[in-house]
Amino acid sequence: MKIRGLVYVIHQEMVKIVTGKIFWIISILSCVMLGFETIFTDLEGREISAFYALFCMNLQDRMENMEFSSVRVMLHACNGYFIIFAPLLVGLIMLPSLCDERESGVFRYKIFRTDRKNIVVGKLISSMLCGGLALALGYGLFCLFCKVTFPDLVDYQLGMVPQWGEVVRSILGIGGYGAVSAIWVYLFSMFFENKYLATCVPYLLLDFIRQKCQGLILEGKESSSMLVWVRDMVLPHNMQKIGIKYSETLCILGWNLVLFFVVAILHWCVLCRRVDCGK
């Protein structure tokens, strides 16, 4: 595997995805979804989103609660349904290109012109970068929106320091979540020529594992279940924990590095065994 050829493949694949309209639609959609996430629950049990607070609450009510400061809104929004649907969003970015290449036969010619290892690793890395970049860009746009529309933390109390370091870490965590989600989507794209199946199956599988873990917690089986480790380390959304605890960070990065190599080797083996040269 030549580094120059690998860089060429990554560059070509990223340009193709980033210059497409789907990439930007998903980024904007991510920003909009974050605006509907719950950022605060009042005493009456109402779940308040950023859009609700901005358009349905007056400024005086928002100034009475520090949770409506721009930084707090940014940090509280990156959870809930956005985290659940992120793998689906990543699949919509990368899979149309991958599946269309196989259906049209373009993938065959790429294999003949470029080393198979470069194709496998280059497509996987470019998918991870584009998936992570799309979600991070969407979250970054949402943070910019919050900065412009919501009051700063210092407006509530003098001496309060905004947690901009946490915001940057959250942006990187969301980007990492998108990148790891792309690995799972890429894995299933090897076995499904239909792009809709390849998009939905990883999303359904990860959501099933997440719900199963939550069910075990409610049943009080947290300490004895293997799925607790899956919940804390394996699921892609754990990339948001990067930088909080050193031990957790090493475990999460180590697991995802192993997953990367397993998927790359598996895809290379599949290509080597296919007589149709990757259709």
Side-chain angles (χ1 to χ4, degrees), residues 27-226:
S27 296
I28 295 172
L29 180 61
S30 299
C31 178
V32 174
M33 288 179 64
L34 287 165
F36 285 104
E37 289 289 354
T38 301
I39 59 172
F40 178 72
T41 303
D42 62 14
L43 297 177
E44 299 178 358
R46 292 184 303 173
E47 296 182 344
I48 299 175
S49 66
F51 288 157
Y52 181 89
L54 184 63
F55 297 114
C56 300
M57 297 176 63
N58 56 52
L59 180 60
Q60 183 178 357
D61 291 337
R62 297 203 303 269
M63 290 300 298
E64 291 178 355
N65 195 323
M66 199 178 298
E67 296 300 319
F68 294 112
S69 64
S70 57
V71 173
R72 297 286 178 86
V73 173
M74 297 174 196
L75 295 176
H76 292 331
C78 53
N79 53 52
Y81 289 107
F82 174 74
I83 298 302
I84 296 174
F85 287 104
L88 187 62
L89 298 177
V90 171
L92 293 174
I93 294 171
M94 53 180 284
L95 279 178
S97 174
L98 288 173
C99 295
D100 289 344
E101 281 185 354
R102 290 172 183 167
E103 290 178 1
S104 63
V106 174
F107 196 50
R108 295 184 182 186
Y109 297 104
K110 285 190 175 183
I111 292 176
F112 287 126
R113 292 176 55 190
T114 311
D115 182 67
R116 291 188 180 186
K117 294 179 182 177
N118 287 339
I119 286 287
V120 170
V121 178
K123 279 185 170 292
L124 180 53
I125 293 178
S126 61
S127 298
M128 292 174 62
L129 292 175
C130 290
L133 182 60
L135 296 190
L137 180 60
Y139 185 57
L141 291 174
F142 176 74
C143 291
L144 181 61
F145 167 79
C146 293
K147 176 63 178 175
V148 173
T149 56
F150 287 90
D152 289 329
L153 197 60
V154 294
D155 295 334
Y156 290 87
Q157 183 177 345
L158 293 176
M160 294 292 292
V161 179
Q163 300 167 301
W164 294 115
E166 285 295 309
V167 174
V168 173
R169 192 188 63 78
S170 294
I171 293 176
L172 295 176
I174 291 295
Y177 179 30
V180 174
S181 297
I183 301 178
W184 288 89
V185 175
Y186 192 89
L187 171 63
F188 285 93
S189 71
M190 290 185 273
F191 307 104
F192 296 99
E193 291 186 3
N194 187 303
K195 53 190 170 185
Y196 302 107
L197 278 176
T199 302
C200 294
V201 169
Y203 156 72
L204 293 173
L205 176 64
L206 293 172
D207 186 53
F208 170 78
I209 296 175
R210 180 189 61 82
Q211 292 190 28
K212 187 66 175 177
C213 291
Q214 291 179 350
L216 290 172
I217 294 173
L218 294 176
E219 293 174 7
K221 299 180 180 180
E222 180 177 0
S223 59
S224 60
S225 176
M226 181 85 177

Side-chain angles (χ1 to χ4, degrees), residues 13-26 93:
E13 293 296 324
M14 287 193 67
V15 168
K16 181 172 63 177
I17 295 176
V18 173
T19 55
K21 61 182 180 180
I22 296 180
F23 176 87
W24 298 101
I25 290 174
I26 294 300
I93 294 171

Side-chain angles (χ1 to χ4, degrees), residues 169-170 172-173 176 237-245 248-253 256:
R169 192 188 63 78
S170 294
L172 295 176
H237 70 265
N238 289 304
M239 288 297 292
Q240 296 179 91
K241 299 178 182 179
I242 295 297
I244 297 179
K245 291 183 179 180
E248 282 190 354
T249 299
L250 286 180
C251 290
I252 294 170
L253 291 178
N256 287 298

